[in-house]
Each structure stands twice: as structure tokens, then as C-alpha cells.
Amino acid sequence: MKYINKKLTIEKINFQKIAYKFGTPFYSYSYFKLKENISNFKKSFRSFSPLICFAVKSNTNVNIIREIKKFGLGADVVSKGELMMALKAGIAPNKIVFSGVGKTSDEINFAIDKKILLINAESLSEIKEINRIAKIKNKKVIIGVRINPNTDAKTLNQISTGKKENKFGVNKNTFYEIINYCNNSKNIDLKCLSVHIGSQILDYRPYEKMLKTVSQILNKTNHKFEFVDLGGGMGITYNDKNKQLNYKKYNTAILKFLKRHKVRIIFEPGRSIIGNTGTLISKIIYVKDSGSKKFIILDAAMNDLMRPALYGAFHKILPVTKSNKKSKKPYEFVGPICESTDKFITLKKFQVLKERDLIAICDVGAYGMSLSSNYNLRPKLVELLIKGPNIKVIRKRQKHKDII
Ligand code: LLP
């Protein structure tokens, strides 16, 4: 995205023109950014060619997954719905891993029938259930076990998953117990150790620590693992002040790990692939002066983009038409929903905005649309994929008749 003649553009197309054509609010994704992210990700780890499984939960649009598939990525799914979507997008079953603490019997059944690469189990009970179903089907099912390394990912508390108080994975004693159980089962083939410590991680050191813990755990067993699935979590720069994750250091730590353990690495990145490709364009409905600040009331709301309301997450806001006039009062950007948390951000300094102006909410490609809802009976937004001069509708705007 850049400004051309004071107009914000995406791949050289003026956002204002897109808004005229498709209405607001809308989600747009840059194809070239997506391509660049995937290529950078691959380059960062090219010395050991990992299997990269896109975390579908971050963006469930079938057309986005289709594009990602064309670059050779697999999928990480956490429900039957996501598994069906990944298959619909054409991802080969042998590139799909299924994570999650609460897979139902129906989901396990489905995953076994589809012959996916791995079911990453998160408890002994789940493994017993997989075993029971596999026995009925007279099949040997390949699984992974997710361990909880008790590592602080130094990210938002709400999206940290690798500490012992979190519900995810099993501790090392249970892990060894599970290895024994699997070795005594004819229907289970334990091939993978998996781990995922959290999301939006910008410091490589928690990853380093996680690898040390995994290495120690592996050293204490003779079981031969074919894969180690390191999950995702690589953070992006939402804020210009954010530091960037040092991929070089993460890569070095993995290479060191691979010297001791001959395994294939799997990654499950979501945000780092799709996060900065997405922009939410919204129109200002009203500007309300409340004395000390002005409310900029947008046509987009927390149901369209939950992250600020749910985690206090920061998303940069840009004007679609730039001007040099500065506002005298702080601006609070809010949506029309009947909740006080329906607020995107308060900015002390911003250019003067008026009713009907457009603004861009940045870096919403991950956990934007996928976390959206119909709260307040608001229809879901249209999604557009911008590829050079072409604009493709990759999901139609919902109509009221679809939800009423
Ligand atoms: N693998 C597993 C097992 C996960 O739980 C997750 C994310 C990922 C991979 C992908 O993580 P990523 O590379 O995208 O960080 N809704 C929150 C993020 C929740 C992440 C949940 N798990 C947000 O909007 O920040």
C-alpha cells in the first residue's frame, strides 16, 4: 500500500475507487504481499526445507487458501470445518495436520478417513479415542503429540499457549506415558512431537528455550520421531515501534537442534503469512464532538474486526485521502455496535476527518474476517483479492436476507 497523489492505493489501485464499486466496509488482500510473505518465510528456513502448513484459523477464505496452496503450502486445521475447507481448497491430505484439545469422535473419524498427515493429539484420553476408532476401522493412524514446554512466549496473555497453566499439550511425564501406550498399540503410529507456545511472538528467545526443552525431552526417550512440529506464532509489526522477529536467530537455533535430532520440521504459521496482506476499509458515518475528544463513528465495528475489543490489539489507521490539516482534539475510532468495547483506537494526533471520509485499518489479514460474527445482526463483509489491476471478489457481502 502506498500513497499516490495523496490517495491511498493497494497495488496501485485507489482504495476510494474500490469503495465506490463495492461499498464499505470491505476487506481487501494484496496478492503480491502474500506471495512475498511466503517467499520470505521459505527463504528464512530454506536450509532444512520444512513442511509449512498454513494455520487456516487465521484466514478461512477458500480462495486465499487456494492461492496459498499454489505456493506448495499445506494446512494446519483445528476443526472438521477447517479440514473440509482445506480439502476444498485442494490441499493434499498428506500436507494437513490437525491440532486442537477437543477433537470429537466425529472429527477424528473424518480425519482418519481423509488420510491426513497427522492428528496432533493433546491428551492421553484423545489418543485412546483415536485408538478405539482406528481399531474399528482396522487402520494404523499416524499421530503427533503436543507437549506443553512451560515456556513463556512473552506475548499477550490471551494468546499465550505454552505455559503450564494453559490447557494445551501434555507435560513430559504424560508424554512418556503416551509413548509407552502408543508402542503397545497396533493401531497408532506415533511419528511427531508437536509444540506451539503462542502467537504474535516477536522475541526469538522463547523459541530458543522451547527448542532446548524439546531437545531435553527427546533425549530421554528412544522413540524414533519422524517429525517435530514447531507450530506457528511468528509475530508481525502492527506498530512501527514493534521490533521484528529475528528469523535468522530462530533458524540458527533450529539448525542446532537438527544436529542432534534427525527429524523433518513442520511449521504452522498463520499471521506471518496473511496478517499484513489485509486491510479493512471503512467509511465515517458521523463525527461526534464530546468535548474533550471526537468520536469517529465508522461503518465497521467490533463484529467485523474483533481483535481490538478482544485483546486490546493495536491496528494502525490511515486516512484514504491524505491532508495536512491536523485535528485539534483526539479522535476515538468506534463502531456502531451497542457495546463500549466497540472501539478500535484513540489517537491524539491525526489529520482532520469529516463524515463520509474513508479510513484504512491495517494488518487485518489474520484473525480479522475469521473472527468476525453477525453480532447485532450485521451482515458479514465482502472480501476482495487484489492482484495487479485485477480485483476479485473472493467472498460476497452477506445480505440481510441471508441472516434473517
Ligand atoms: N498452530 C496452533 C496449534 C495454533 O494454536 C495457532 C494459533 C497457530 C498454529 C497459528 O499461529 P500464528 O502463526 O497465526 O500466530 N486470535 C488471536 C490469535 C490466536 C492464535 C491461536 N492459535 C489474535 O487475533 O491475535
Side-chain angles (χ1 to χ4, degrees):
M1 290 199 307
K2 60 172 175 247
Y3 285 98
I4 302 178
N5 297 330
K6 302 202 168 176
K7 302 277 184 209
L8 189 63
T9 63
I10 176 166
E11 297 190 11
K12 296 196 178 132
I13 310 176
N14 190 333
F15 269 123
Q16 196 141 29
K17 283 198 180 142
I18 306 177
Y20 280 139
K21 186 155 180 203
F22 296 96
T24 58
F26 65 85
Y27 269 91
S28 76
Y29 303 92
S30 159
Y31 174 80
F32 289 108
K33 197 82 207 161
L34 175 63
K35 192 173 161 189
E36 184 181 280
N37 289 344
I38 294 176
S39 150
N40 287 343
F41 195 95
K42 283 184 180 168
K43 264 190 220 147
S44 302
F45 303 111
R46 76 180 145 224
S47 50
F48 55 89
S49 359
L51 172 63
I52 307 168
C53 295
F54 174 64
V56 169
K57 67 169 82 66
S58 64
N59 193 306
T60 56
N61 188 299
V62 72
N63 292 291
I64 294 279
I65 306 169
R66 249 179 218 141
E67 296 298 341
I68 288 173
K69 181 228 147 188
K70 289 185 199 154
F71 294 108
L73 271 61
D76 158 49
V77 301
V78 289
S79 68
K80 183 174 175 179
E82 286 190 4
L83 175 50
M84 291 165 86
M85 195 63 106
L87 293 169
K88 186 172 174 182
I91 304 232
N94 66 3
K95 284 187 177 177
I96 299 180
V97 300
F98 193 166
S99 317
V101 291
K103 299 176 204 78
T104 63
S105 314
D106 176 49
E107 289 180 312
I108 294 169
N109 241 300
F110 188 71
I112 295 176
D113 288 348
K114 293 296 168 194
K115 301 194 178 74
I116 64 168
L117 178 64
L118 286 169
I119 299 178
N120 279 335
E122 304 213 19
S123 61
L124 184 54
S125 302
E126 183 186 343
I127 291 171
K128 286 182 177 164
E129 182 60 5
I130 298 172
N131 188 49
R132 184 186 72 80
I133 298 171
K135 225 181 207 164
I136 297 170
K137 292 182 185 288
N138 200 16
K139 280 192 178 156
K140 191 154 191 157
V141 175
I142 303 171
I143 69 157
V145 174
R146 176 164 173 185
I147 57 149
N148 183 323
N150 194 22
T151 305
D152 186 351
K154 306 250 188 287
T155 180
L156 290 173
N157 237 342
Q158 301 101 312
I159 54 176
S160 164
T161 53
K163 289 192 272 183
K164 67 173 187 290
E165 60 266 33
N166 299 131
K167 68 181 173 186
F168 303 98
V170 299
N171 62 29
K172 58 176 186 239
N173 293 338
T174 312
F175 181 71
Y176 296 130
E177 198 183 329
I178 285 175
I179 294 180
N180 272 338
Y181 179 89
C182 294
N183 286 339
N184 290 321
S185 158
K186 280 191 232 102
N187 300 90
I188 289 205
D189 187 2
L190 172 58
K191 279 196 178 173
C192 177
L193 179 158
S194 89
V195 63
H196 170 84
I197 55 172
S199 199
Q200 185 50 16
I201 298 171
L202 291 169
D203 184 350
Y204 70 94
R205 284 168 299 189
Y207 281 128
E208 236 178 31
K209 200 166 160 232
M210 161 190 100
L211 282 163
K212 263 189 203 147
T213 309
V214 171
S215 185
Q216 279 162 8
I217 291 175
L218 286 177
N219 284 341
K220 288 203 184 118
T221 166
N222 293 325
H223 188 87
K224 196 91 203 77
F225 285 91
E226 194 174 323
F227 305 101
V228 166
D229 178 344
L230 296 176
M234 297 81 170
I236 60 169
T237 47
Y238 285 104
N239 191 328
D240 298 337
K241 285 177 226 140
N242 276 160
K243 53 178 182 178
Q244 289 188 1
L245 176 65
N246 191 331
Y247 279 82
K248 250 192 185 159
K249 296 252 175 148
Y250 189 17
N251 180 61
T252 308
I254 297 172
L255 286 176
K256 195 167 152 199
F257 173 86
L258 287 174
K259 275 198 184 131
R260 313 200 86 227
H261 309 283
K262 303 281 171 247
V263 292
R264 173 136 197 238
I265 297 292
I266 300 175
F267 285 121
E268 304 170 352
R271 192 189 316 264
S272 50
I273 301 296
I274 196 71
N276 63 2
T277 70
T279 310
L280 172 57
I281 301 290
S282 175
K283 188 161 74 189
I284 298 169
I285 311 175
Y286 299 118
V287 176
K288 179 155 92 173
D289 195 329
S290 75
S292 59
K293 62 183 173 190
K294 282 187 177 174
F295 288 103
I296 304 294
I297 304 171
L298 302 171
D299 61 359
M302 64 188 279
N303 73 302
D304 304 310
L305 176 67
M306 273 283 268
R307 301 193 70 253
L310 198 56
Y311 314 115
F314 172 91
H315 284 272
K316 192 161 63 188
I317 292 193
L318 296 173
V320 166
T321 305
K322 228 180 187 172
S323 89
N324 296 327
K325 267 206 238 152
K326 295 272 170 286
S327 152
K328 292 199 181 81
K329 290 186 183 177
Y331 280 164
E332 185 160 321
F333 292 85
V334 300
I337 281 186
C338 307
E339 297 260 0
S340 293
T341 55
D342 183 22
K343 165 183 161 179
F344 294 109
I345 198 166
T346 306
L347 295 173
K348 282 202 184 117
K349 285 187 204 141
F350 208 79
Q351 72 175 50
V352 169
L353 291 172
K354 52 184 195 315
E355 292 171 2
R356 287 189 148 96
D357 280 355
L358 299 178
I359 56 109
I361 308 180
C362 302
D363 307 313
V364 297
Y367 310 106
M369 192 65 180
S370 70
L371 267 171
S372 70
S373 77
N374 287 121
Y375 188 40
N376 277 201
L377 273 189
R378 291 165 52 87
K380 290 212 186 179
L381 307 186
V382 61
E383 290 182 285
L384 308 170
L385 181 65
I386 317 287
K387 192 175 181 180
N390 299 320
I391 303 174
K392 186 174 165 196
V393 177
I394 54 169
R395 181 189 166 114
K396 283 189 196 150
R397 189 185 295 282
Q398 254 182 353
K399 296 201 168 79
H400 279 106
K401 73 169 174 31
D402 300 330
I403 49 174
I404 291 165

